[in-house]
Amino acid sequence: MYRHFGEVDAAETSPLYERVAVALSESDEALRAIEAAPARKRHPTVILAALHDLALAGRAPALAAAYAAADGDAAAEAAIDTLLRMTDSVVSIAVRRQTRANETGRCAVLYPAIAEAARRVGAHAVGLIDVGCSAGFNLNADRVGITYDNGQSLGDASSPVQLSSSIVGGRPVPTRAMPEVVARVGVDLDPVDVTDADDARWLRACLWPDQPDQPDRVARLEAEMALAATAPPLLLQGDAVEVLPDAFARVPADALPVVTTTWALSHFSLERRLRFLHRLDEAAAGRAVAWVSAEGVGVAPAVPTLGDRRASGHSIIGLAVFNQSALRAEAIGRCWSQGRLLAWLADS
């Protein structure tokens, strides 16, 4: 697994991780140390992020220096040394953390979809509930600036977080503004609080240290965390199916609750996905509820697949409106690369 990760997954984007992963694969001692972690926590992305966390915390200075110098051989040696000397620390971090891919780029998909949900219900205010929220960056969809390559723009042009997305096909995205956001609620098994130093460092540790666009990614993450810290969302910890009723209760009665899932339901069993859908239906008994999804083809229950194949390489953008237990679900677009490419399909 480590050799494959180094020679295939990291080969073109991270020479440091390529060298480190291959070196770990060739060290019997290192592999035995990794086996101290539970099987589900032995993946290279988890162990490498744990090592990176120790480097960023100043607890593995040789590894930090090797990463800063982009010295693959020194990084490989330091990674093995750190792993062997600090096995318990590496395993402890791996066990209690999940790797994070906090991409505010998803907001390029979410913003027009949330605005469309509000239009269909006639809502003048929304409460956002993000499932699988991590640090809750999706909850700031209205607070970032979004520019599409066809010249359209949405959101806050003065925001410190500026995103770009490319339009696929000839149909533009609707340019109506999202209504006022009166509640921001994140739901996650292990939510990340950007105002906590350890949590913030972990988000940095999940970035690979030498990807070609690393400076831009670091700068964007820092801007995202700073923006989130100015108005931290309410983070609810727990299983989404169990926590959703509490989340709905945090949205004022005169606002439309909009639940968002972005590649979160793929971690749910089919049974839990159906229970999730049932939770939304239950909440709609007393008020309208909307659900905006960006999930792999066939992952989001009730959302049409447009005849696309599951292995197509893109995701379906879904919009479901529950109103007094009546469900209307539609596929309103397709997207690629977690929002970097967007094809809008819905009539507006």
Side-chain angles (χ1 to χ4, degrees), residues 118-186:
R119 182 190 73 84
R120 295 187 180 189
V121 176
H124 299 290
V126 296
L128 303 182
I129 301 171
D130 189 41
V131 173
C133 68
S134 183
F137 293 161
N138 287 347
L139 295 166
N140 286 321
D142 61 316
R143 302 178 68 208
V144 305
I146 307 163
T147 302
Y148 300 92
D149 69 343
N150 64 354
Q152 291 183 283
S153 61
L154 290 171
D156 183 358
S158 65
S159 173
V161 179
Q162 295 294 318
L163 314 173
S164 60
S165 181
S166 298
I167 299 296
V168 176
R171 179 171 294 185
V173 297
T175 55
R176 68 181 56 86
M178 190 188 305
E180 180 185 8
V181 178
V182 296
R184 305 174 197 271
V185 184

Side-chain angles (χ1 to χ4, degrees), residues 19 50 54 224 234 318:
R19 183 69 189 90
L54 291 172
E224 290 167 347
L234 173 64

Side-chain angles (χ1 to χ4, degrees), residues 81-125:
D81 177 68
T82 302
L83 179 60
L84 297 183
R85 286 189 303 103
M86 306 179 71
T87 301
D88 290 346
S89 295
V90 174
V91 170
S92 175
I93 294 170
V95 166
R96 65 187 178 90
R97 295 294 193 182
Q98 299 181 53
T99 53
R100 301 292 183 173
N102 288 283
E103 294 288 349
T104 310
R106 304 175 188 196
C107 293
V109 169
L110 292 176
Y111 189 110
I114 294 168
E116 177 67 13
R119 182 190 73 84
R120 295 187 180 189
V121 176
H124 299 290

